[in-house]
Amino acid sequence: MNLPNDSSPRRSLLAGEQPRGPVRSLVAFACKQAPTTGRAGRILRDIFSWRFALLLFASLIVIYPLLWVVSLAFSGQQSLTLVQLPEDASLGQQLLALIPLPEQWNLSNFTAVLTEQPFLRWLGNSLVVALSTTLLGLSLSCSAAYAFSRFRFAGRERGLMLFLISQMFPAVLMLIPLYVIVVQWLGLGNSWLGLILVYSITALPFCVWMLKGYFDTLPYEIEESALLEGASRWMIFTRIILPLARPAIAVTGLFAFMTAWNEFILASIFMDDESLYTVPVGLRFFVSDYASEWGFFAAGSILVSIPVMLLFLALQRYLVSGLSAGAVKG
């Protein structure tokens, strides 16, 4: 059947010709908008899916306590009640009071904590203990993990198994043995050295297992080449293995630092002198049976988190890098 001899857009499309005029503009606009519309539809489907709702609900559960801490810190008051409700408050006002927003924002709690309280002394004590624990823990764990990874000796498998078993029990179970050994036998109670030794021993099993797993991924051919060139084992360990293991060392050092920085129970038991308190022990006195200074407690909690955030930012390029990145470059 022959098509009618007219110049309609339908004839042009059926004949395979390019549309002209308004029809061509309409087709071009539809082709251009089709991918955008599809992408927007996928985004809308993801937003209104049950997975997104579950993720949003879980995020609110995690963020809500943090919002309370920030609001209490900047409220300038010590009470947990941020908004004073009238006696005949409606349901809407009561629900609005659940949102942690202070009536006015100020820095009086931070100023009082830094000037009127021995917070800076506690912060310095925590830095000394945490940094010393990190250095001692890394020194012991790096050497031990390298020995377990590269050498075969009697008791190797049993030693690794004992490290793994020690991680299965909570640290509270070791409280009494550690107190007897550190305080009664070694006489290191109420001292930084005793606390540093306890923290280093506590973090050692995890650090050894983590570094040992990374050392196993490093090719042994690098060490064989260095041995043929006359390098000693110590030179290989310090100049080849440790530089290649920087990502794992960064993660392990961060774990050791966090272990000493956030620990409260052992520090409160081993320390009796207020001048030697770490930050977690010092913050306890803001909230006690005789006083409830929640504003000071919240402000101190925010100040305590700043060194940890700076440490995360400083080690970020190592934390996100691959475990074996650069192992065979050269």
Side-chain angles (χ1 to χ4, degrees):
M1 178 183 298
N2 295 328
L3 294 174
N5 189 12
D6 58 7
S7 58
S8 63
R10 185 169 180 267
R11 178 190 175 190
S12 300
L13 292 176
L14 291 176
E17 300 177 2
Q18 294 294 332
R20 291 173 292 181
V23 177
R24 181 175 183 179
S25 302
L26 182 61
V27 172
F29 177 79
C31 295
K32 183 184 299 184
Q33 294 298 322
T36 305
T37 305
R39 186 161 53 248
R42 288 194 298 269
I43 294 175
L44 290 176
R45 285 196 300 269
D46 293 337
I47 291 176
F48 290 101
S49 64
W50 66 270
R51 297 182 181 88
F52 184 82
L54 181 61
L55 180 62
L56 183 62
F57 179 73
S59 301
L60 291 177
I61 293 177
V62 174
I63 295 175
Y64 187 73
L66 299 178
L67 293 178
W68 268 102
V69 173
V70 174
S71 299
L72 285 173
F74 287 95
S75 65
Q77 61 185 28
Q78 307 304 322
S79 175
L80 289 176
T81 305
L82 296 178
V83 180
Q84 299 295 332
L85 292 177
E87 296 181 357
D88 56 345
S90 62
L91 180 60
Q93 291 177 333
Q94 294 177 4
L95 294 177
L96 188 62
L98 295 177
I99 301 177
L101 291 176
E103 295 180 350
Q104 64 181 39
W105 298 77
N106 57 68
L107 301 175
S108 59
N109 285 332
F110 292 93
T111 305
V113 166
L114 295 175
T115 58
E116 301 175 6
Q117 306 292 334
F119 181 81
L120 292 178
R121 180 188 302 171
W122 300 336
L123 189 64
N125 296 341
S126 291
L127 285 175
V128 172
V129 173
L131 291 177
S132 301
T133 301
T134 303
L135 293 177
L136 181 60
L138 285 179
S139 301
L140 296 176
S141 59
C142 286
S143 56
Y146 181 73
F148 280 117
S149 176
R150 289 294 190 259
F151 302 109
R152 300 295 181 266
F153 51 88
R156 175 180 176 272
E157 300 296 333
R158 294 182 179 179
L160 288 174
M161 187 59 62
L162 288 176
F163 277 155
L164 184 61
I165 292 175
S166 65
Q167 294 295 104
M168 299 180 182
F169 300 97
V172 180
L173 295 180
M174 299 186 295
L175 187 59
I176 296 178
L178 288 175
Y179 184 84
V180 172
I181 294 173
V182 175
V183 178
Q184 297 184 3
W185 293 1
L186 300 179
L188 296 178
N190 197 30
S191 66
W192 287 344
L193 180 59
L195 199 60
I196 292 170
L197 290 177
V198 170
Y199 288 158
S200 301
I201 294 172
T202 304
L204 189 62
F206 174 82
C207 296
V208 170
W209 264 100
M210 186 169 184
L211 287 172
K212 190 257 180 191
Y214 181 83
F215 289 152
D216 290 341
T217 63
L218 297 180
Y220 189 68
E221 289 78 8
I222 299 178
E223 300 179 44
E224 291 179 343
S225 301
L227 289 173
L228 293 177
E229 295 294 333
S232 62
R233 280 289 182 181
W234 176 253
M235 186 180 298
I236 294 174
F237 177 67
T238 56
R239 297 188 180 182
I240 298 178
I241 299 300
L242 291 184
L244 292 177
R246 281 180 294 183
I249 292 175
V251 176
T252 306
L254 183 61
F255 172 79
F257 183 88
M258 295 288 292
T259 300
W261 186 261
N262 295 328
E263 205 282 325
F264 168 75
I265 298 178
L266 295 176
S268 62
I269 292 176
F270 286 103
M271 292 297 182
D272 297 330
D273 189 358
E274 184 178 352
S275 61
L276 299 178
Y277 283 165
T278 56
V279 173
V281 181
L283 290 178
R284 177 192 61 177
F285 292 98
F286 290 146
V287 181
S288 61
D289 296 335
Y290 304 101
S292 298
E293 299 172 331
W294 291 105
F296 292 165
F297 184 86
S301 301
I302 293 177
L303 293 175
V304 168
S305 64
I306 293 177
V308 179
M309 290 188 295
L310 294 178
L311 187 60
F312 266 99
L313 293 176
L315 300 178
Q316 184 178 10
R317 63 192 183 106
Y318 297 113
L319 297 177
V320 299
S321 60
L323 289 179
S324 59
V328 295
K329 290 183 180 180

